[in-house]
Every structure is written in structure tokens, then in C-alpha cells.
Amino acid sequence: CRAKPASVRRRTRSGSSIVMPQPVLCVSATTPSTFGQASSGSVPVTFTVTNGGGVSAQPSWWDLAYLSTDATLDNADLGLTGYSTHTTALAPGASYTTTYTYVTPTATPAGSSALFVKADGPGAAVAVGTNTDSGKVTESTEANNAVSVAVVLP
């Protein structure tokens, strides 16, 4: 995980340009386990988040999950209940791996979906923002905060 660039240019009052490194949270290795019942099922997921940026990502942020029927993360997607909270700084190049059990709401339809996991994710589960908003960590790019895997709900 390495964003290009992992920094942003800022202009000073005198007009000169300075480069400010930024953290970049990237999600990888999303592995859903066996799903529970489609009516209200548990979704255990293992994923890894890496800081590919030039400075530490400062706490805190949430790792959320969403179900999408069109394989595109948008505000129409179903935010799953639950979230993993990350409360310590994540140094450049460092990563953490989490297994967390998200829960589908009652009456989630069976069938094919894309399961998204998003680091530094906002949404209904944390009552902050929408599925596609930027999170709490200021990054040089938000484009690699989410990853998806195809799943079939029973």
C-alpha cells in the first residue's frame, strides 16, 4: 500500500510551497468467514489495514463494513451493525490485522453481494456521516480506504 503522493503541497503566505506528509490507510486481505442466517446474520471478517503514508495516522477511527448489491460503495449500500475502533496511532509502514464480527440487519435478502470493509469509515453504524464521506483521519487520498470481496448470503 503506497499512495502516490503520500503528501500534499501547501502554499505559505509568502507564496512558497511546502510539502506536508500525510497518512494513507489501505485495507487489504479481506476474508469473510461463514455467514449466519440471512434474516440477521453474523459476518466474521478478517482484514489488514496498513499506513502507506509518510507520517503516523493519529487516533481514533472506525473500521466499518457495508453490503452492496451493485459492487460499488455508495450511500445506498447497507451499513452493517458494529465497528472496530482503532485507538492508537499507526506509524508509517505499520499495519494491524483485525477479525471482527459485523451483523446484518433483520431481513437482509439472500443472494450475491459485495462486502466492503472501510478503514476510517463513517456511516450509520457510528452515526457520523455517510458511507462515502471521508473519515476522521486526514489523508492524501481516500481512494484505497476500502476493499471488497464477493459474498453470497444464505
Side-chain angles (χ1 to χ4, degrees), residues 8-95:
V8 293
R9 291 195 177 274
R10 300 273 192 235
R11 293 254 180 234
T12 64
R13 288 184 183 169
S14 67
S16 61
S17 179
I18 58 172
V19 176
M20 299 176 62
Q22 298 283 300
V24 179
L25 298 177
C26 306
V27 181
S28 62
T30 303
T31 308
S33 299
T34 306
F35 287 90
Q37 297 298 315
S39 62
S40 182
S42 58
V43 185
V45 181
T46 299
F47 56 93
T48 300
V49 176
T50 302
N51 180 0
V55 297
S56 293
Q58 296 303 312
S60 68
W61 63 88
W62 304 290
D63 299 327
L64 277 70
Y66 314 85
L67 282 178
S68 173
T69 57
D70 63 5
T72 300
L73 181 60
D74 57 39
N75 291 327
D77 295 334
L78 176 65
L80 300 185
T81 302
Y83 53 89
S84 173
T85 303
H86 198 75
T87 59
T88 59
L90 188 62
S95 62

Side-chain angles (χ1 to χ4, degrees), residues 63-137:
D63 299 327
L64 277 70
Y66 314 85
L67 282 178
S68 173
T69 57
D70 63 5
T72 300
L73 181 60
D74 57 39
N75 291 327
D77 295 334
L78 176 65
L80 300 185
T81 302
Y83 53 89
S84 173
T85 303
H86 198 75
T87 59
T88 59
L90 188 62
S95 62
Y96 61 90
T97 298
T98 300
T99 298
Y100 189 83
T101 300
Y102 298 97
V103 178
T104 61
T106 303
T108 301
S112 297
S113 294
L115 172 70
F116 282 88
V117 173
K118 184 175 182 180
D120 192 25
V126 292
V128 174
T130 67
N131 298 353
T132 57
D133 286 346
S134 298
K136 294 171 66 177
V137 178

